[in-house]
């Protein structure tokens, strides 16, 4: 279903090398797509974990993309919502902390 598609999409963004994204992300809207998927599938652990990986990958692409990801308050809101929804899952908490660290240390 839609959850599986979103998970696969986020995983693809998380697994691609950052060099792939540097000239594409700002124009293709991947950041917004990942955040929308995370919001739409709040209860899906795998979507949240894949979304975290994608956000980290986007963040480490280049300075312009780092500023765009960190500048989106919805990025932080999405991470916090996922962490709240999966408060008892250590892996979600761990990955969420890594993303927050990236987003808060620009």
């Amino acid at each position: 279903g839609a959850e599986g598609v979103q998970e696969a999409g986020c995983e693809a963004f998380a697994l691609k090398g950052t060099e792939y994204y540097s000239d594409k992300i700002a124009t293709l809207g991947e950041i917004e797509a990942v955040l929308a998927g995370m919001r739409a599938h709040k209860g899906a652990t795998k979507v949240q974990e894949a979304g975290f990986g994608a956000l980290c990958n986007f963040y480490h692409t280049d300075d312009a993309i780092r500023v765009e990801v960190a500048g989106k308050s919805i990025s932080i809101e999405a991470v916090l919502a996922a962490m709240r929804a999966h408060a008892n899952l250590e892996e979600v908490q761990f990955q969420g902390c890594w993303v927050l660290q990236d987003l808060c240390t620009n």
Side-chain angles (χ1 to χ4, degrees):
E3 181 180 310
V5 172
Q6 186 63 45
E7 178 185 342
C10 287
E11 283 179 350
F13 292 134
L15 296 175
K16 284 242 182 231
T18 55
E19 66 280 351
Y20 174 82
Y21 293 114
S22 61
D23 62 343
K24 296 176 177 66
I25 280 209
T27 59
L28 296 178
E30 283 91 343
I31 297 166
E32 289 81 8
V34 167
L35 293 171
M38 291 176 72
R39 285 191 305 274
H41 301 285
K42 291 178 186 168
T45 304
K46 295 293 184 187
V47 171
Q48 301 307 314
E49 290 175 348
F52 290 161
L55 290 174
C56 281
N57 202 2
F58 294 157
Y59 184 85
H60 291 285
T61 299
D62 67 25
D63 289 341
I65 294 170
R66 180 176 299 114
V67 168
E68 183 168 340
V69 173
K72 292 184 178 297
S73 63
I74 57 172
S75 297
I76 294 173
E77 291 167 15
V79 172
L80 293 175
M83 292 176 73
R84 282 191 292 271
H86 303 277
N88 295 324
L89 296 176
E90 184 177 335
E91 188 62 25
V92 172
Q93 299 301 310
F94 179 78
Q95 289 184 24
C97 287
W98 275 107
V99 176
L100 289 174
Q101 178 180 317
D102 281 348
L103 294 175
C104 295
T105 55
N106 202 354

